[in-house]
Amino acid sequence: MRPTRPSAADPSDDPPPLPAARQRTITFGGPADAAPPLRSPAAFGEKRRALVSSDSDSDFGKEKAGEKSVDITEHLLSLDQVCEQYAVRVDRVRPQDSPGLTAAQAEQLLAAHGPNTLTPPKKKSALQKFLVCLLALFNLMLIVAGILMFVLLAIDFKNNKFGIYMGTILIAVAFLNAGIEWYQQHKSENTLAALLRMIPAKSHVIRDGKLDSLPSASLVVGDVVFLRMGDKVPADCYVFSATDMKVDNSSLTGESEPQERGPDNTMQNPLEATNLVFNSSLVVSGEAYAIVVRTGDHTVLGQIAGMAAAEDKGETPLNREITIFVRIITAVAVTTAIIFFAVGMKLHNDFAFAINFAIGILTAWVPEGLPSTVTMLLTIAAKRMAAENVLVKNLQGVETLGAITFLATDKTGTLTRNQMTVTNVWTNGRMYTATRAHGDMGDPIESADACGIREILHTSALCSSVRFDRTDVPVDKRQLLGDATESGLVRFAAARLAGASVDDLAARHPKVFEVPFNSANKWMLTVHRMPHARGPLTLLVKGAPERILRLCTTILDGGAAVALGDAHVARYNAVYQHMAARGHRVLAFAQLQLDGGAYPADYAFDRRSENYPRGEYTFVGLASLEDPPKHGVREAIGRCRAAGVQVMMVTGDHPLTAEAIGRKINLVIGETRETVAARTGRAPAEVGEDEYDAVVIHGEQIAAMTDADWEAVFRKPEVIFARTSPKNKLEIVARAQEIGHICAVTGDGVNDAPALKCADLGIAMNNSGSDVSKEAASMILLDDNFASIVKGIEEGRLIFANLKKSIRYTVSHSIPEVIPQILYIIVPLPPMITAIMILVIDLGYEILAALTYAWEPAESSTGLMKLAPRMPVTQRSIARLRARRARLAAEGLLDPVTGRAVRLGWARWAWRAARAPFARAWWRELLDRGEGEILVDRELLSWSYLEAGVISSISSLVVFFVVLNARGISPRQAQVMARADSNRFFRKDSAPYTYGGRTLTGEQQFYALNEARTGLMFSIYILQVFNLFICKARLRLPFGRFMFRNVRTFYGFTAGLVLLCFVTYVPPLNTVFNSSYRSVPLYWLIAVGFGTLLLAYATARMVVLRRARPMQWNPTIEGLHMHPTIWSTRHTTRSVDLRA
């Protein structure tokens, strides 16, 4: 009696189901009031969810009002109906003899419908982009100030000649800032344009009955195209004749397995129709003749690209924070300038004087070099990332990657190699491992001639439809054209057999007959001239294990073919379940040595009559394959999680496959609800939410998930979404953003483009990525290496820390510039600092020193990646976000459709800004410190304006008055002289001033003031040199070798000193910059003393703050495996005896 055969799932679809303990039946939520609704008032984000939830996986093609859908219906028509619709003639019996369209028809259709290309996304012109940069708030203020200087020049040319220099410099600075930013953006876009290839170059087309190779852009609807293995489908086509054709639709649907295509179809969904192939899909095996039914933007590819283009791209976190800071500084600067303009007019009744003074106040408040500093710091960081094969399209994306709290990543091609690899072989009663990975079960394959191994290698190499692209290079350098699973088997055989042997194998054992794999048989059969003792031919077969086992009566065991019994089947079941439980794809191998009497060498096999043996084979063994993780992925995900980033896998693969890969790469290390239930002997519903950390969610469940379900999902540290559609991915991103996550999304397919565009940071793959995904993304991994993302996160965190240090340093000099201006008009005192001197400080040595932070290394090698993300998502942050959105919605400042802030006009923004300080909610939000860290926070402002700024101001005033007193003018007399009529003293032509028996001529007054001004300018410089080093310290005290590791710091402040000495000790420049070559360096020692005081104060301050607010580090995640994900080094070898 034949033994009972196992019932296993078809490996060409999904692995067999696991025992009940491992089944996935996800249940979320509870009572309706278990959690507050995630959506804010006014239906936050409904527009985006309308886009992503327009249909589910099963009804993607259904048209709904106002929503994107696939408008193809030709798959439901017969061939005659399609031919009639497109006025084309074909021959279904001999498709190669099809007449196709005529050249005249094609020309007419091309003129009517346009070329078969995707319309490039709308872009601003270079001039428009430059104007956007130029009209930024800081630049706009500088331009207005420069124009006012020329207005003064027109009013009174004689007394305002100096306005020529000031006006020109202010406007030039604005244009320089804009030019730097525009150039860097333009450079990134040009680099991207070189990477994009929008459509295949040539296609095989039948026109006028002749097969010709034409540009793909010239294809029109109705064209008959010939597709073969290795071709990229040039348009959406209706297949009317095919031979063993399979296509890779992963870039469109996310399905990693090749799909069969042919003239027959029973599916309603166009994306699942077996008689349609789509633009950008790859033909991995077989050939076909098809009719073009959609071209260009009307293809599925074009519709998804249009959807991505329609999705609005929000501001980056850094851009939002810089915008807020700029607006605050602008408001303060403009308000102060207006107030003191009025004061100046009241006291002196001199319009030119008041305007000059207001401009001085304006330039003192505005850090003119900040835009250039930020742009240059980001540019330098982007160049460092480019050296790591990461192309940044948007400079601020560099910092965004460091700020992410949520990373949704593809599996195939991103986490894995997109290359099926044999992992284990079971044959002759033994388990072998084909890899060298940690913890693999089985013995290493030591000889290709071992019993069973030889048969599996030969079957893998010969019973296959794939081929090498070339044979003149080593095997590991070749590309395989064909099905991914078969390619993995051939690659396995080629590696185990010598390179010459695998090339020569087909010639030594030519194929005489073949039955291709199909969905009905689930196996592939070939007959080869492979002589043996009983005859010249050998039959080889591979396919679904349960199908192959049913065809076998013997099994290879103990080096011989023995009768297949129940004990063999039990061992087979144990091995099969072990392989499938790891998420592997499992194939079985069998063979039959054909009897020479019944099947001589010239026997004529016929597929239709099935005159070949269909049973009584010898079962050789099983082989399991998987798409292995890429090198470095395990450590990369481990470091992401250790850095506080929530990583989720979003894949189109089966949940078991996704979970198996997730457990190998640190994505999943905890238990699921089902495994806890199985371990404790309870029902899954009895397991509490706090008892498990991991969930695996099927895409079909997403549409039914409530707000409470989503909140429960995002509370879990380990989440996998499997069998997802492009709409599901976009929904996941939108939901994460609703609760405040800064989202990064990786993707390589056309189907990923909307999510890439929607995310705060879209990351596309260069080698495996589609052109549409690259266009939608903000960042491109040039080498497709996921580990580059971790380098980017670290680089992003470093650039944020350095940007903050740079801003902290840069704005510290504002108070020493503002206070002298205020004292000038309030006390009054002589004009201690002029607008041109402020520009020397801001655009001279300050910008040189601030730029050195771009090369500042991290304070410790691991410190940045142990800190939590700077804007973590917590229950408190979610509640605060909801409250703020509710308030904005009530004020009409939140778009009820998109959920985003309404853009206000200048007048409305100014009115709201003026009223805001009188609202309690505004102060509550301002004083709420929150859990996160922003670029310009209260601590930074306190240090820069109230602490370091005040100490620097005191130092500057002391130096100014000491120098002035040394020249015979005491502080009291300086005040008296300043109170005199406007411009009476401190000019070369001023009247002499007598005090204490000493008379000071006009020239003496003039040079004394300029010498004191020079001392003040050097005082600011010296205090800023101390501040330059103090601002380096965040995690440590401002002492130690790390303070001096950045050599460029010394270059920066040395260049600043050279510049100051140049404008001071070159006499002709004294006229322009109000400096004095008579300045004595001895007085600078006063500033050095104050600098030492500043350093001591900063140290004491840091000690107090560290005790009051200790540094919060990420908690350690137990169970992370940080050893390398490599296949080239064997760590452990275990032999498993499966005979018992």
Side-chain angles (χ1 to χ4, degrees):
M1 186 177 75
R2 293 288 298 273
T4 303
R5 299 291 186 251
S7 175
D10 183 355
S12 65
D13 294 322
D14 296 326
L18 292 182
R22 297 292 302 278
Q23 293 289 330
R24 288 289 164 269
T25 307
I26 309 299
T27 303
F28 291 101
D33 60 350
L38 275 176
R39 280 169 282 194
S40 67
F44 172 72
E46 286 298 332
K47 176 183 178 184
R48 191 179 304 167
R49 280 195 295 279
L51 178 67
V52 303
S53 60
S54 58
D55 35 56
S56 62
D57 294 73
S58 59
D59 62 3
F60 179 76
K62 296 180 181 178
E63 185 118 13
K64 295 186 180 183
E67 296 173 357
K68 285 277 185 184
S69 61
V70 179
D71 62 354
I72 296 178
T73 58
E74 283 80 358
H75 62 294
L76 304 175
L77 305 179
S78 66
L79 175 60
D80 292 336
Q81 290 173 315
V82 173
C83 290
E84 181 181 357
Q85 181 172 335
Y86 292 104
V88 61
R89 293 181 298 152
V90 301
D91 187 335
R92 73 178 70 204
V93 179
R94 293 179 57 81
Q96 65 271 22
D97 296 333
S98 298
L101 295 176
T102 65
Q105 283 179 297
E107 185 177 350
Q108 184 179 2
L109 289 169
L110 185 63
H113 301 292
N116 177 36
T117 56
L118 301 182
T119 302
K122 292 182 180 179
K123 295 182 178 180
K124 295 178 182 178
S125 67
L127 178 60
Q128 288 175 316
K129 293 175 183 177
F130 179 77
L131 289 176
V132 169
C133 298
L134 183 63
L135 297 179
L137 270 178
F138 272 0
N139 293 336
L140 201 58
M141 281 197 299
L142 293 177
I143 292 173
V144 171
I147 292 173
L148 286 175
M149 295 303 298
F150 285 107
V151 170
L152 288 177
L153 191 66
I155 294 174
D156 185 357
F157 183 83
K158 181 179 179 181
N159 293 323
N160 292 288
K161 290 181 181 179
F162 179 72
I164 297 176
Y165 304 114
M166 275 297 299
T168 302
I169 291 174
L170 288 171
I171 294 174
V173 168
F175 274 83
L176 179 63
N177 286 338
I180 292 173
E181 185 177 357
W182 174 86
Y183 173 74
Q184 295 302 332
Q185 292 178 357
H186 186 68
K187 189 175 179 181
S188 297
E189 289 172 0
N190 287 344
T191 306
L192 173 67
L195 295 173
L196 296 180
R197 299 174 297 278
M198 295 300 287
I199 204 159
K202 294 281 186 178
S203 298
H204 300 291
V205 188
I206 297 179
R207 287 183 184 170
D208 294 318
K210 297 178 182 179
L211 181 65
D212 199 1
S213 180
L214 300 176
S216 297
S218 67
L219 289 183
V220 296
V221 290
D223 263 329
V224 177
V225 293
F226 171 58
L227 305 170
R228 59 186 178 184
M229 183 170 64
D231 286 349
K232 201 172 185 180
V233 180
D236 292 352
C237 303
Y238 176 94
V239 178
F240 67 89
S241 177
T243 304
D244 306 327
M245 185 191 194
K246 289 185 180 180
V247 293
D248 179 2
N249 277 346
S250 60
S251 67
L252 286 171
T253 65
E255 176 60 56
S256 61
E257 287 303 310
Q259 307 296 303
E260 292 185 39
R261 291 295 179 261
D264 300 321
N265 173 58
T266 59
M267 308 301 292
Q268 295 293 315
N269 184 348
L271 290 183
E272 297 175 356
T274 54
N275 61 350
L276 291 180
V277 290
F278 302 105
N279 186 6
S280 82
S281 295
L282 182 68
V283 181
V284 297
S285 66
E287 60 185 38
Y289 289 86
I291 300 171
V292 175
V293 295
R294 295 289 187 278
T295 60
D297 292 335
H298 301 288
T299 62
V300 173
L301 172 70
Q303 292 181 48
I304 296 178
M307 189 193 309
E311 183 65 27
D312 187 22
K313 189 74 173 177
E315 284 186 311
T316 64
L318 180 64
N319 190 51
R320 286 195 295 269
E321 293 176 25
I322 290 178
T323 299
I324 292 172
F325 173 63
V326 167
R327 286 177 177 176
I328 292 173
I329 292 297
T330 301
V332 171
V334 171
T335 303
T336 308
I338 292 173
I339 290 173
F340 282 96
F341 170 77
V343 172
M345 286 294 294
K346 177 69 174 176
L347 295 179
H348 298 278
N349 196 27
D350 186 337
F351 179 79
F353 170 82
I355 282 289
N356 270 306
F357 176 68
I359 290 175
I361 285 285
L362 190 73
T363 53
W365 274 115
V366 176
E368 290 85 0
L370 183 61
S372 295
T373 302
V374 171
T375 300
M376 293 303 296
L377 259 67
L378 292 173
T379 299
I380 294 166
K383 287 182 177 179
R384 282 203 299 266
M385 293 186 70
E388 300 288 348
N389 290 312
V390 179
L391 172 65
V392 180
K393 291 169 59 180
N394 179 359
L395 286 180
Q396 292 179 354
V398 177
E399 190 280 329
T400 304
L401 187 55
I404 63 170
T405 59
F406 176 90
L407 175 60
T409 175
D410 270 349
K411 181 184 77 69
T412 305
T414 304
L415 301 176
T416 62
R417 303 181 192 177
N418 197 18
Q419 183 182 96
M420 296 299 287
T421 304
V422 176
T423 55
N424 290 98
V425 173
W426 179 69
T427 183
N428 199 29
R430 293 181 64 189
M431 177 72 85
Y432 295 90
T433 177
T435 67
R436 297 180 178 181
H438 179 77
D440 269 357
M441 179 177 289
D443 297 327
I445 299 174
E446 297 177 347
S447 172
D449 292 324
C451 181
I453 296 295
R454 178 181 61 253
E455 286 75 11
I456 288 179
L457 291 176
H458 283 181
T459 304
S460 298
L462 296 174
C463 185
S464 175
S465 60
V466 302
R467 59 182 175 85
F468 289 113
D469 63 337
R470 55 194 298 185
T471 59
D472 58 338
V473 295
V475 173
D476 58 349
K477 302 291 184 182
R478 305 176 191 176
Q479 296 294 322
L480 281 166
L481 305 177
D483 177 81
T485 302
E486 285 196 326
S487 298
L489 292 172
V490 172
R491 197 177 289 108
F492 166 65
R496 297 296 169 177
L497 300 169
S501 297
V502 74
D503 290 334
D504 191 46
L505 199 61
R508 288 189 286 114
H509 303 298
K511 184 189 302 180
V512 298
F513 178 66
E514 175 182 347
V515 179
F517 179 91
N518 60 64
S519 57
N521 292 334
K522 301 292 186 182
W523 46 255
M524 178 181 183
L525 180 150
T526 57
V527 178
H528 297 265
R529 296 190 188 279
M530 190 180 294
H532 51 85
R534 299 175 54 214
L537 302 177
T538 301
L539 180 148
L540 306 176
V541 63
K542 73 176 191 302
E546 73 283 359
R547 299 291 183 93
I548 297 297
L549 195 63
R550 292 191 189 109
L551 301 175
C552 297
T553 55
T554 59
I555 185 171
L556 189 64
D557 191 14
V562 299
L564 182 64
D566 288 335
H568 297 113
V569 174
R571 293 207 302 271
Y572 157 89
N573 282 333
V575 173
Y576 188 14
Q577 183 159 345
H578 165 74
M579 291 178 168
R582 298 172 67 190
H584 292 184
R585 182 167 298 279
V586 186
L587 291 179
F589 299 81
Q591 70 175 29
L592 179 63
Q593 295 178 339
L594 299 178
D595 181 65
Y599 301 98
D602 57 353
Y603 183 82
F605 293 96
D606 183 67
R607 190 188 307 176
R608 294 187 179 181
S609 62
E610 298 184 351
N611 62 342
Y612 54 89
R614 292 180 57 83
E616 299 187 349
Y617 302 156
T618 298
F619 190 88
V620 175
L622 297 171
S624 66
L625 301 93
E626 71 167 347
D627 186 4
K630 288 182 177 179
H631 296 168
V633 165
R634 179 191 292 133
E635 309 94 282
I637 291 181
R639 293 190 66 194
C640 281
R641 295 190 60 187
V645 178
Q646 186 174 14
V647 184
M648 292 187 184
M649 182 193 296
V650 184
T651 178
D653 262 342
H654 189 276
L656 292 179
T657 305
E659 183 183 353
I661 291 295
R663 292 192 178 278
K664 289 185 177 183
I665 57 176
N666 281 327
L667 199 66
V668 177
I669 55 179
E671 291 184 294
T672 61
R673 171 178 280 178
E674 291 71 29
T675 54
V676 172
R679 177 171 54 79
T680 59
R682 292 179 290 169
E686 297 175 359
V687 178
E689 287 287 330
D690 59 341
E691 295 184 66
Y692 64 97
D693 293 327
V695 290
V696 181
I697 304 169
H698 197 287
E700 292 180 353
Q701 296 175 273
I702 291 178
M705 287 173 62
T706 65
D707 290 338
D709 293 337
W710 281 106
E711 189 168 8
V713 166
F714 286 118
R715 282 200 299 264
K716 296 297 180 186
E718 300 168 355
V719 181
I720 291 176
F721 289 93
R723 284 289 189 248
T724 56
S725 70
K727 306 293 187 296
N728 295 147
K729 193 169 189 176
L730 193 53
E731 170 81 357
I732 293 164
V733 173
R735 288 283 188 170
Q737 289 176 323
E738 283 184 21
I739 61 173
H741 274 295
I742 298 175
C743 298
V745 174
T746 69
D748 55 4
V750 176
N751 59 329
D752 296 319
L756 291 171
K757 191 77 176 288
C758 170
D760 296 285
L761 186 73
I763 305 171
M765 306 293 147
N766 178 43
N767 298 327
S768 61
S770 66
D771 299 331
V772 174
S773 68
K774 296 175 192 174
E775 185 69 46
S778 303
M779 187 175 290
I780 299 173
L781 303 184
L782 299 179
D783 58 354
D784 291 13
N785 187 0
F786 183 86
S788 299
I789 295 177
V790 178
K791 297 176 184 175
I793 292 175
E794 191 166 8
E795 184 67 43
R797 293 189 174 189
L798 177 61
I799 194 61
F800 174 80
N802 288 345
L803 269 174
K804 190 162 187 173
K805 293 173 183 178
S806 179
I807 293 174
R808 181 191 185 98
Y809 164 79
T810 301
V811 299
S812 295
H813 67 254
S814 293
I815 293 299
E817 295 170 354
V818 170
I819 287 180
Q821 299 272 10
I822 295 175
L823 294 178
Y824 165 53
I825 200 164
I826 296 296
V827 173
L829 289 171
M832 292 179 278
I833 189 169
T834 63
I836 195 69
M837 295 176 72
I838 291 173
L839 292 180
V840 170
I841 295 170
D842 291 5
L843 301 175
Y845 62 77
E846 284 293 279
I847 196 170
L848 294 174
L851 279 177
T852 64
Y853 282 109
W855 292 275
E856 189 68 25
E859 293 178 54
S860 67
S861 58
T862 59
L864 287 175
M865 295 300 280
K866 289 182 178 179
L867 292 171
R870 65 183 185 87
M871 299 176 72
V873 176
T874 64
Q875 291 302 308
R876 186 183 174 198
S877 71
I878 294 173
R880 187 187 309 111
L881 184 62
R882 287 172 177 159
R884 183 172 185 273
R885 284 179 178 151
R887 181 176 64 81
L888 292 176
E891 296 177 12
L893 300 174
L894 197 69
D895 191 322
V897 178
T898 64
R900 288 179 175 159
V902 175
R903 293 184 179 275
L904 302 178
W906 281 98
R908 190 179 175 191
W909 175 84
W911 173 244
R912 180 173 180 271
R915 291 191 317 164
F918 300 98
R920 183 181 301 174
W922 186 85
W923 285 102
R924 186 165 53 246
E925 287 183 9
L926 181 67
L927 298 176
D928 187 358
R929 188 170 179 272
E931 299 83 6
E933 180 183 12
I934 60 176
L935 186 65
V936 182
D937 54 17
R938 288 180 295 173
E939 191 274 334
L940 183 149
L941 295 175
S942 173
W943 170 260
S944 298
Y945 289 124
L946 301 181
E947 299 168 74
V950 170
I951 293 175
S952 181
S953 298
I954 295 172
S955 171
S956 303
L957 293 174
V958 169
V959 171
F960 178 85
F961 286 118
V962 166
V963 173
L964 202 60
N965 188 71
R967 297 296 173 260
I969 304 175
S970 68
R972 171 62 182 162
Q973 292 307 311
Q975 181 185 14
V976 171
M977 296 171 71
R979 279 181 176 171
D981 293 339
S982 179
N983 296 327
R984 180 177 174 182
F985 294 109
F986 299 108
R987 297 186 309 175
K988 285 186 177 180
D989 58 352
S990 296
Y993 180 76
T994 302
Y995 164 67
R998 182 179 177 183
T999 301
L1000 296 173
T1001 64
E1003 283 197 0
Q1004 289 176 320
Q1005 300 168 33
F1006 175 78
Y1007 287 121
L1009 178 60
N1010 279 355
E1011 191 175 340
R1013 286 170 172 170
T1014 304
L1016 182 145
M1017 192 163 57
F1018 271 97
S1019 173
I1020 295 176
Y1021 164 77
I1022 292 170
L1023 267 292
Q1024 283 295 84
V1025 170
F1026 279 90
N1027 194 30
L1028 184 65
F1029 286 96
I1030 291 170
C1031 291
K1032 289 173 178 278
R1034 178 193 179 197
L1035 305 178
R1036 302 181 180 183
L1037 294 176
F1039 299 101
R1041 287 185 298 175
F1042 80 96
M1043 301 281 285
F1044 307 101
R1045 285 187 304 195
N1046 184 5
V1047 180
R1048 289 178 176 85
T1049 300
F1050 298 93
Y1051 299 158
F1053 73 71
T1054 301
L1057 179 61
V1058 170
L1059 175 65
L1060 274 186
C1061 291
F1062 181 70
V1063 300
T1064 299
Y1065 295 109
V1066 177
L1069 297 180
N1070 292 165
T1071 304
V1072 178
F1073 295 104
N1074 305 121
S1075 55
S1076 174
Y1077 67 89
R1078 302 175 181 180
S1079 180
V1080 179
L1082 178 65
Y1083 298 109
W1084 304 351
L1085 294 177
I1086 298 173
V1088 173
F1090 275 95
T1092 305
L1093 173 65
L1094 182 66
L1095 180 62
Y1097 172 80
T1099 304
R1101 176 183 187 272
M1102 188 170 291
V1103 170
V1104 172
L1105 288 178
R1106 290 173 90 177
R1107 291 187 177 182
R1109 296 198 301 265
M1111 187 68 67
Q1112 298 295 320
W1113 304 97
N1114 286 321
T1116 302
I1117 301 176
E1118 300 294 336
L1120 290 178
H1121 303 289
M1122 300 305 291
H1123 53 273
T1125 39
I1126 60 173
W1127 293 71
S1128 56
T1129 304
R1130 187 174 187 82
H1131 298 283
T1132 61
T1133 301
R1134 290 185 291 158
S1135 178
V1136 178
D1137 187 2
L1138 294 171
R1139 295 174 184 271

